Amino acid sequence: MHPYLITAKPGRIRRTLTVIRVWSVRILAFTVMTLLGAAVLLVRCARPLINYLATRAIYLELWAAQRIGRPPVSGLVGAGLTDEFIAEFHRARRTATAGSPR
């Protein structure tokens, strides 16, 4: 008989600690996933409100620019940024895979 083939079964305390470790990691991972999911949902739900507020701010800035006779700088910059974000979004949608690694 070879002595290295005889293995001791882990004790009850060690098995309990292993179970606690495994489940604590699972609970931590679930908590992180839940918090990230809530953050993403919050951002996605707030997006229409942010877009509305940005549009109103641009109109207000245009109105103020007409009253004082200066060009509306922030509206032009914001429109350029918006166009670039839209182009990047559509570019990402065209090149994204539907979960199938190739």
Side-chain angles (χ1 to χ4, degrees), residues 7-56:
T7 58
K9 183 177 178 183
R12 181 174 293 181
I13 294 174
R14 180 165 287 199
R15 284 182 292 171
T16 303
L17 290 175
T18 301
V19 168
I20 290 172
R21 180 180 51 85
V22 168
W23 277 100
S24 64
V25 169
R26 287 179 182 173
I27 290 170
L28 178 65
F30 180 75
T31 304
V32 168
M33 287 174 29
T34 303
L35 291 175
L36 287 175
V40 168
L41 181 65
L42 180 67
V43 168
R44 286 186 178 215
C45 290
R47 185 174 170 193
L49 179 64
I50 292 169
N51 287 343
Y52 175 77
L53 291 175
T55 303
R56 289 291 151 206

